[in-house]
Amino acid sequence: MRAVEFHEYGAPEVLQVVQTAAPEPGPGQVAIEAVWAGVNFADVKARAEGYRVASLPYRPGLEVSGRIRTVGEGVEGLRAGQKIAALVDGGGYAEVVLAEAARVFPLPDGLDLRTAATLPTVLPTAHALVHEVGRLRAGESVLVHGAAGGIGTAVGQLARAAGAGAVYGVASSDAKADYALKHGYDEVFRPATFETDVRRATGGRGVDLVLDPVGGDTLRRGLEALAVFGRLVSFGNASGAEPWRAGQGELYAQGRSIGGFSVLALAQSAPDALRALTEHALRTVRDGTVVLPVTAEFPLSDAADAHQLIGGRTSTGKLLLRISD
C-alpha cells in the first residue's frame, strides 16, 4: 500500500510517499480502507517540531473516512465493508489505516465519505467548546480565535444555533474575515487588537465566553476580554509559547473561570464520553445545523502541498487528502 511519512523533522518537503505492507488489526482494532483523510494543524506541528511524535519515521493523520477492511479479535458492532469515520493516533495518511474500535463511528444514512472525513476532530471539539466545556447559554456572547479554520467554522454555526446573542471571531486577514462572516459570525477582529475591539463591540462589558487555540499571550489578553463571570476555554497552543497560568488574582475579583479541551486527550482518557459526544455532534450535520465546507483537497501524493497551505496560515475551512476514488 501507499503511505506518506517523514523520517526527519522539517519543511513540507520531508513528507515522502512510501510503499509498505498493509497493517493487520490487533485485538480491539479495525483496519480501514481509507478514502479520505483530514489535514490538521497538528499534523503540521508533528512534521515541523515533533508534536505528539513518539519516534521516527512517523506517519501523520488523525482522522479518516472509508470502509472497514478487516476486524480484529473482540470487536463487536462493526463489520467488513461498513462505511465509517475514525479518529486515530496517527497513520491516517495511508491507504490502509488502523483504528481502535472505540474511535470508529458508523456513518448515518445520507452522510457521504468526503463530508465524514471533515468531522472526527472538528465536530466533537466544536460541540464540546460550545456546550460541554464552554456552557454557552442563549443570549450570551462568544469570541472565537481562528474563526475561519475548521473548528472555527463549526463553532460559529453551533453558537448561532444555541441562541448566542453575539458571535465574534478573530482572523488574520480580510479573506479569512469574509469567510467567517458567512458561517455564523457577526463581526471579525484582528489578532493585534481583539481585546480592544471586544470592549468596543460590547459597550465595555466584554464577552461571556472566549475560545482560544492559540495560547501564550493571547490567553492572557483573552482573559481581559471577558465579562464578569466570563469563561475562557483553551483548546490548543498553536503559538508554541510556554504555557501561561492564571491564579486567584486574575480569576477571583470578577468570578472568571478557565477550562480546557483536547479531543485527542479525551479519546485516551474517556473513550465512552468521546463516542457520546461524537454521535451527538454528528446529528448536527445530519439535521443541517452545521455545514463544514471542504475548501481544498489534494491527492495523497501531494500531502506536502496541503501542509504548505495550512502551515502558511492562509487556509480556511477544512483540507482533505484524497486517498482513493
Side-chain angles (χ1 to χ4, degrees):
M1 71 166 191
R2 294 181 308 147
V4 169
E5 60 189 30
F6 55 87
H7 295 244
E8 60 180 327
Y9 303 121
E13 290 73 24
V14 302
L15 295 173
Q16 54 185 279
V17 180
V18 300
Q19 290 284 345
T20 186
E24 295 295 331
Q29 295 182 321
V30 301
I32 301 163
E33 293 179 346
V35 177
W36 297 93
V39 181
N40 293 286
F41 189 69
D43 302 338
V44 174
K45 290 188 68 176
R47 186 213 73 232
E49 57 192 63
Y51 172 67
R52 299 185 72 252
V53 176
S55 62
L56 296 175
Y58 181 78
R59 192 174 300 161
L62 299 174
E63 56 189 346
V64 298
S65 67
R67 299 173 180 84
I68 294 177
R69 175 186 172 104
T70 49
V71 174
E73 180 182 351
V75 173
E76 298 179 354
L78 298 171
R79 65 183 187 281
Q82 194 170 15
K83 291 184 178 181
I84 54 86
L87 179 70
V88 296
D89 287 328
Y93 294 9
E95 291 180 322
V96 180
V97 179
L98 291 182
E100 299 297 322
R103 303 179 207 168
V104 174
F105 309 102
L107 300 184
D109 292 340
L111 184 60
D112 63 279
L113 290 174
R114 185 173 180 270
T115 301
T118 70
L119 306 179
T121 63
V122 166
L123 203 57
T125 297
H127 200 280
L129 293 176
V130 172
H131 295 289
E132 284 77 9
V133 186
R135 297 182 175 88
L136 184 69
R137 294 172 293 195
E140 289 189 324
S141 56
V142 55
L143 176 73
V144 185
H145 291 273
I151 291 171
T153 300
V155 165
Q157 296 170 78
L158 286 173
R160 183 62 64 204
V167 184
Y168 302 116
V170 180
S172 59
S173 69
D174 289 343
K176 288 186 173 184
D178 289 344
Y179 173 91
L181 290 169
K182 298 174 183 176
H183 293 91
Y185 290 88
D186 295 300
E187 196 171 351
V188 181
F189 312 131
R190 291 293 184 269
T193 59
F194 74 85
E195 69 269 50
T196 302
D197 293 331
V198 163
R199 292 294 174 185
R200 170 190 54 76
T202 61
R205 176 182 180 275
V207 292
D208 299 292
L209 177 63
V210 172
L211 304 177
D212 188 330
V214 181
D217 187 59
T218 301
L219 275 177
R220 179 187 62 77
R221 294 166 57 209
L223 197 66
E224 294 303 314
L226 286 175
V228 176
F229 304 130
R231 292 94 62 201
L232 184 152
V233 180
S234 170
F235 65 102
N237 188 33
S239 68
E242 288 296 316
W244 176 81
R245 294 175 174 83
Q248 296 173 353
E250 293 87 358
L251 302 179
Y252 277 22
Q254 296 195 30
R256 294 164 173 164
S257 59
I258 297 176
F261 182 76
S262 164
V263 70
L264 300 175
L266 185 69
Q268 294 285 347
S269 66
D272 289 343
L274 172 66
R275 174 166 293 279
L277 177 62
T278 301
E279 290 174 351
H280 190 78
L282 280 173
R283 288 196 288 272
T284 66
V285 173
R286 187 169 53 188
D287 65 18
T289 300
V290 175
V291 176
L292 189 55
V294 176
T295 53
E297 60 181 66
F298 302 81
L300 180 64
S301 57
D302 290 346
D305 291 339
H307 274 227
Q308 188 71 47
L309 180 57
I310 198 170
R313 309 294 182 96
T314 58
S315 63
T316 57
K318 190 67 178 180
L319 276 63
L320 295 182
L321 293 180
R322 185 174 64 255
I323 309 299
S324 64
D325 295 326

